[in-house]
Amino acid sequence: MRHWPLTQLTLTTPDLVLRVPDDDQLDELAQVAADGVVSPGAVYFPQPWASGTPEQTAHNVLQNHWWARGDWREDNWRLLLAVLHDGQVIGQQNLSARDFRITREARTGFWLGRRFQGHGFGTQMRAAALHLAFTCLVADRVTSTSYADNIASRRICEKFDYEPNGIRRLAVGERLAEAHEAVLTAERWRAHRQLTTLILGFDECRHMFGMPLAPGPVDVVLHV
Ligand SMILES: CC(C)(COP(=O)(O)OP(=O)(O)OC[C@H]1O[C@@H](n2cnc3c(N)ncnc32)[C@H](O)[C@@H]1OP(=O)(O)O)[C@@H](O)C(=O)NCCC(=O)NCCS
């Protein structure tokens, strides 16, 4: 899409492609969510967007994407990427920030359909988001929140050498939930990064993140 250059952004890891979904992919993503994301009774998110009926869950996904696009501003953006494995949509990776030009801090979130969990995809998704944040956007810090129940998400923070950044208590419905905050600095990421990510199309959309024009073309970023 010419006038929404985020659609040209593509992040590729060894097994995955991450991109802003077109309408068919967004519909597929909604179906993946409707088929199930969270284990019954577990608290993984502050809002129970994936705990209603399949139809409610699918609508939540669609409306969240439309809202994120409609509400996009250079100083308050939410990048919601569909994650594809062998051409099939399997989940979503988020990267968001408010006043990034000043704070240099971004935040990640992610989910996979239940049948795609536990295969190492979440690790690759986080690696791709961190690469975009630290290499293309030149972030100082990236944060993550994992609820106490969510061992996989907390383990992924450990794998990337995040530091604990406090525990918040909040009510999720009628339940007390403990949110484990974690932060990764650019220095720690540089010391520990290990997965390959190829990023294409960033130059076309860098202004949408409030980034100044690049001195030269930097739309291909590759590290091993
Ligand atoms: C969180 C999520 C995206 C992680 O993706 P994933 O592909 O399942 O995770 P990975 O397979 O890449 O890695 C998970 C790590 O946690 C470990 N892990 C997972 N469950 C575990 C458990 N019950 N006990 C111990 N370790 C566990 C895995 O062994 C792996 O660590 P390793 O590579 O050292 O072996 C995915 O599980 C998911 O979508 N969960 C539901 C939604 C959600 O929780 N979203 C995040 C909200 S913060």
Side-chain angles (χ1 to χ4, degrees):
M1 190 182 290
R2 274 180 307 169
H3 297 293
W4 197 248
L6 290 169
T7 52
Q8 295 176 45
L9 183 64
T10 311
L11 284 55
T12 307
T13 72
D15 294 311
L16 306 172
V17 173
L18 287 73
R19 48 159 309 175
V20 172
D22 61 25
D23 279 356
D24 288 341
Q25 290 163 337
L26 185 56
D27 190 52
E28 245 187 279
L29 185 65
Q31 185 60 50
V32 170
D35 290 343
V37 174
V38 298
S39 314
V43 173
Y44 294 158
F45 302 106
Q47 292 91 23
W49 67 267
S51 304
T53 65
E55 188 184 23
Q56 286 166 341
T57 300
H59 282 187
N60 288 338
V61 171
L62 296 174
Q63 290 187 292
N64 191 235
H65 276 254
W66 293 328
W67 169 71
R69 291 178 199 182
D71 202 46
W72 187 285
R73 295 201 319 261
E74 279 183 13
D75 60 354
N76 187 13
W77 44 261
R78 296 167 200 83
L79 180 66
L80 310 186
L81 299 170
V83 179
L84 290 89
H85 173 61
D86 285 342
Q88 182 183 14
V89 176
I90 63 171
Q92 177 175 315
Q93 175 66 51
N94 305 350
L95 184 71
S96 58
R98 186 183 280 266
D99 297 323
F100 181 76
R101 194 174 55 79
I102 310 289
T103 67
R104 316 304 308 173
E105 181 175 289
R107 167 164 207 85
T108 60
F110 58 172
W111 59 264
L112 286 163
R114 282 187 73 183
R115 63 186 185 280
F116 305 112
Q117 296 171 12
H119 299 285
F121 297 144
T123 303
Q124 292 190 35
M125 290 155 63
R126 178 68 62 83
L130 291 174
H131 197 101
L132 178 65
F134 286 123
T135 307
C136 297
L137 294 164
V138 204
D140 287 340
R141 297 157 41 111
V142 175
T143 63
S144 167
T145 302
S146 311
Y147 288 85
D149 290 346
N150 200 339
I151 296 170
S153 177
R154 290 170 59 190
R155 172 77 190 121
I156 287 175
C157 287
E158 268 175 35
K159 286 168 72 172
F160 286 95
D161 206 27
Y162 283 63
E163 296 170 283
N165 197 23
I167 296 176
R168 275 185 302 126
R169 286 184 143 207
L170 66 165
V172 175
E174 288 301 309
R175 277 191 63 184
L176 167 68
E178 288 198 333
H180 291 242
E181 303 290 345
V183 60
L184 181 64
T185 60
E187 292 73 28
R188 286 173 85 93
W189 178 75
R190 272 188 223 106
H192 287 270
R193 63 185 186 179
Q194 31 187 282
L195 281 166
T196 305
T197 304
L198 173 68
I199 299 182
L200 296 173
F202 177 71
D203 230 18
E204 287 78 351
C205 57
R206 58 187 299 128
H207 60 286
M208 295 190 69
F209 297 93
M211 297 285 288
L213 283 179
V218 291
D219 61 343
V220 178
V221 180
L222 179 63
H223 75 71
V224 181

